[in-house]
């Protein structure tokens, strides 16, 4: 009988360990699962046009280039899991070093659209704080905007242009300008 109790106790202990590991992983107690889930997309349009996706830890998890200039900038940087503010600053600094920003008056258009986010209000507030800080502390002419409109994100992806350029595209359409998304893609901001 004592052999059976020892055997059952061992199985029970192993089962507890397995269930505990499975349970903590499923509940994301160690917070590894959310590291790869984007909550927002931020586009930086200087010409180059670059988008970064950020997670709930305010880290860059993905980058996207929309032109050769953007590829040149991104090839010089390693932005993965870098703090969003530092990543944007590195993109601007590298763009300047590569000659894409000739003077501090050239506009830099930084826009953001929300993605998979549970707490929209908090996310918008955090991104606005970031944009306000970048705008106030930068020597550059930064124009920033946070959009809570998934149709702009969808349209930008469909037109293969950045969020900032999609906003310009919509504005041009609203004022009846005869300009295409492809034209918008190629103009200097």
């Amino acid at each position: 009988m004592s052999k059976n109790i020892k055997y059952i106790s061992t199985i029970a202990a192993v089962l507890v360990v397995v269930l505990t590991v499975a349970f903590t992983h499923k509940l994301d107690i160690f917070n590894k699962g959310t590291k790869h889930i984007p909550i927002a997309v931020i586009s930086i349009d200087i010409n180059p046009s670059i988008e970064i996706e950020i997670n709930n830890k305010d880290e860059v998890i993905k980058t996207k280039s929309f032109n050769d200039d953007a590829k040149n900038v991104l090839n010089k940087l390693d932005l993965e899991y870098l703090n969003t503010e530092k990543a944007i600053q590195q993109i601007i600094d590298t763009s300047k070093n590569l000659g894409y920003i000739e003077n501090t008056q050239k506009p830099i258009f930084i826009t953001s659209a929300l993605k998979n986010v549970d707490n929209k209000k908090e996310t918008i507030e955090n991104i606005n704080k970031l944009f306000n800080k970048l705008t106030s502390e930068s020597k550059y002419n930064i124009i920033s905007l946070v959009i809570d409109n998934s149709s702009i994100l969808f349209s930008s992806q469909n037109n293969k242009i950045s969020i900032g350029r999609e906003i310009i595209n919509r504005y041009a359409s609203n004022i009846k300008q005869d300009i295409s998304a492809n034209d918008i893609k190629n103009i200097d901001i």
Side-chain angles (χ1 to χ4, degrees):
M1 190 63 103
S2 130
K3 200 175 197 181
N4 284 342
I5 292 174
K6 201 175 195 180
Y7 178 72
I8 291 172
S9 296
T10 303
I11 289 176
V14 168
L15 188 58
V16 166
V17 169
V18 168
L19 289 175
T20 301
V21 169
F23 184 69
T24 57
H25 180 69
K26 185 70 175 167
L27 288 179
D28 198 28
I29 288 173
F30 298 114
N31 218 5
K32 292 180 182 174
T34 59
K35 192 173 189 173
H36 304 291
I37 298 173
I39 62 164
V41 178
I42 298 174
S43 88
I44 301 97
D45 288 293
I46 303 164
N47 196 37
S49 284
I50 295 170
E51 279 185 354
I52 58 175
E53 289 188 7
I54 62 170
N55 63 17
N56 64 348
K57 295 183 178 313
D58 195 29
E59 300 169 326
V60 175
I61 56 172
K62 185 177 179 184
T63 60
K64 183 175 185 179
S65 59
F66 287 94
N67 54 28
D68 290 338
D69 295 341
K71 287 177 189 171
N72 288 340
V73 170
L74 290 177
N75 284 338
K76 305 273 185 218
L77 300 171
D78 181 13
L79 302 177
E80 189 174 23
Y81 301 114
L82 189 63
N83 169 276
T84 305
E85 180 182 354
K86 289 178 184 172
I88 292 171
Q89 197 56 57
Q90 284 188 18
I91 290 168
I92 293 170
D93 291 344
T94 302
S95 296
K96 169 81 171 130
N97 293 340
L98 291 173
Y100 300 121
I101 302 173
E102 295 172 6
N103 65 63
T104 58
Q105 295 308 306
K106 180 178 179 165
I108 299 171
F109 197 31
I110 303 176
T111 52
S112 178
L114 302 185
K115 239 180 155 177
N116 307 316
V117 61
D118 293 329
N119 190 343
K120 284 186 177 187
K121 184 179 178 186
E122 181 182 337
T123 303
I124 289 170
E125 287 173 4
N126 289 340
I127 293 172
N128 271 325
K129 283 179 191 172
L130 167 67
F131 285 2
N132 289 336
K133 184 176 181 191
L134 285 168
T135 302
S136 67
E137 293 179 1
S138 180
K139 62 184 176 190
Y140 299 105
N141 182 16
I142 294 177
I143 303 164
S144 61
L145 182 63
V146 179
I147 304 293
D148 180 15
N149 183 334
S150 59
S151 73
I152 288 180
L153 182 58
F154 178 77
S155 296
S156 71
Q157 292 168 342
N158 195 38
N159 288 326
K160 296 183 171 85
I161 56 178
S162 68
I163 299 164
R165 289 180 185 271
E166 179 59 30
I167 291 168
I168 294 168
N169 185 36
R170 285 189 178 198
Y171 178 75
S173 175
N174 285 341
I175 61 170
K176 310 289 188 232
Q177 292 294 311
D178 188 26
I179 190 166
S180 71
N182 197 46
D183 294 332
I184 297 289
K185 186 179 197 174
N186 295 315
I187 63 169
D188 195 18
I189 297 275

